[in-house]
Amino acid sequence: MRPDETRVVGQLGQSLDGRIATVSGHSKYINGPGCLSHLHRLRAVCDVVVVGAGTAIADDPQLNVRLVEGPNPARAIIDPNGRVPRDLRLFEDDGTRHLAVTAVGTEGDWPEGVEVLRLPRLACGGLCPSAIVQALAKAGLRRILIEGGSQTISRFITARSLDRLHLLIAPMIIGAGKMGLELSPIQTLQEALRPRMTPHQAGDEVLLDCDLRSCPVYS
Ligand SMILES: NC(=O)c1ccc[n+]([C@@H]2O[C@H](COP(=O)([O-])OP(=O)(O)OC[C@H]3O[C@@H](n4cnc5c(N)ncnc54)[C@H](OP(=O)(O)O)[C@@H]3O)[C@@H](O)[C@H]2O)c1
């Protein structure tokens, strides 16, 4: 990477039927040790790990590096309405930076020390993913891991702001529940994203490393 470049990687741990949680939101743990180690390794090589408000509230994740050697990344939430509670584990003070990406005009109740990045809302009410990437880069955070959930990663893909997607596929069929991706419907398969994909075996699981920038319709 050049010093002025950014890289945005998304990860989804999913079942064979493409689900990342049950209907009640239970998602711990879909993946086994091989894929969980991969996730922690990804965290260790990124500058910042980002989750949406939904995941922060549903899972209260720590988002630190525990299963491999390596530094903890900064931790960021996308919380346009300032609705996450201040006692989340990702805000715990362990010497790393904490950031809240929110909308202009939102006064959230984030703990002291949280760096607040305020962005204008789009007409649809959301925050522009490429503006989020730019704001994080301006804060010195250029290697960005979007760790979920479904809505957050889907918005980044829709905005063409995700470079790579790591799908961690477990030998499990959940049958109903939250899908990993929820994109706008397409009419023909010519419009489908067909990334160049490199598979890796991790025990009885598979990591699919998808290079979204290789898709002809992804620009
Ligand atoms: N298996 C896995 O790998 C994995 C990983 C992560 C999460 N999960 C599961 O996924 C579920 C949560 O996913 P989710 O899709 O419901 O929620 P989510 O993606 O974690 O959070 C969605 C919320 O984040 C905010 N947000 C994210 N991007 C935004 C943007 N560009 N502009 C404005 N707001 C944005 C919005 O907050 P507001 O609602 O306040 O507008 C949005 O509703 C949980 O069940 C969790 O366990 C699974």
Side-chain angles (χ1 to χ4, degrees), residues 6-214:
T6 56
R7 284 282 190 283
V8 188
V9 182
Q11 81 80 40
L12 285 170
Q14 67 175 49
S15 60
L16 293 173
D17 52 331
R19 298 181 195 278
I20 61 163
T22 66
V23 283
S24 66
H26 190 220
S27 68
K28 284 185 183 157
Y29 287 102
I30 290 174
N31 292 110
C35 280
L36 286 175
S37 295
H38 172 72
L39 173 59
H40 282 239
R41 200 168 295 118
L42 261 184
R43 287 178 184 167
V45 297
C46 284
D47 298 323
V48 62
V49 52
V50 180
V51 292
T55 296
I57 292 170
D59 295 353
D60 194 9
Q62 296 180 76
L63 304 181
N64 56 13
V65 177
R66 302 185 300 280
L67 301 181
V68 300
E69 291 286 321
N72 287 327
R75 301 191 280 268
I77 48 157
I78 305 176
D79 185 18
N81 300 302
R83 67 184 175 98
V84 306
R86 54 184 294 133
D87 60 353
L88 289 175
R89 295 195 296 176
L90 67 84
F91 289 138
E92 272 168 20
D93 186 4
D94 58 0
T96 62
R97 292 169 69 183
H98 305 105
L99 299 98
V101 183
T102 192
V104 170
T106 297
E107 291 301 328
D109 183 27
W110 305 290
E112 202 177 325
V114 172
E115 299 168 51
V116 181
L117 307 179
R118 287 197 167 78
L119 300 173
R121 286 185 190 270
L122 299 168
C124 64
L127 306 179
C128 172
S130 69
I132 296 173
V133 172
Q134 279 172 26
L136 291 172
K138 203 171 162 198
L141 306 166
R142 296 182 173 278
R143 289 173 297 181
I144 301 169
L145 171 61
I146 311 290
E147 209 175 297
S150 161
Q151 280 190 48
T152 302
I153 292 193
S154 299
R155 286 183 199 233
F156 271 75
I157 292 179
T158 299
R160 308 309 196 223
S161 292
L162 205 68
D163 299 312
R164 300 277 273 264
L165 177 62
H166 282 195
L167 289 177
L168 310 171
I169 310 216
M172 176 190 293
I173 296 172
I174 301 178
K178 188 167 269 299
M179 296 298 293
L181 293 177
E182 300 274 6
L183 304 176
S184 300
I186 54 171
Q187 302 305 317
T188 69
L189 291 179
Q190 279 72 32
E191 299 163 75
L193 298 174
R194 295 171 188 265
R196 194 166 52 228
M197 194 181 79
T198 310
H200 302 272
Q201 191 86 29
D204 63 353
E205 300 183 283
V206 180
L207 158 64
L208 302 177
D209 176 11
C210 305
D211 178 4
L212 292 169
R213 295 282 169 221
S214 70

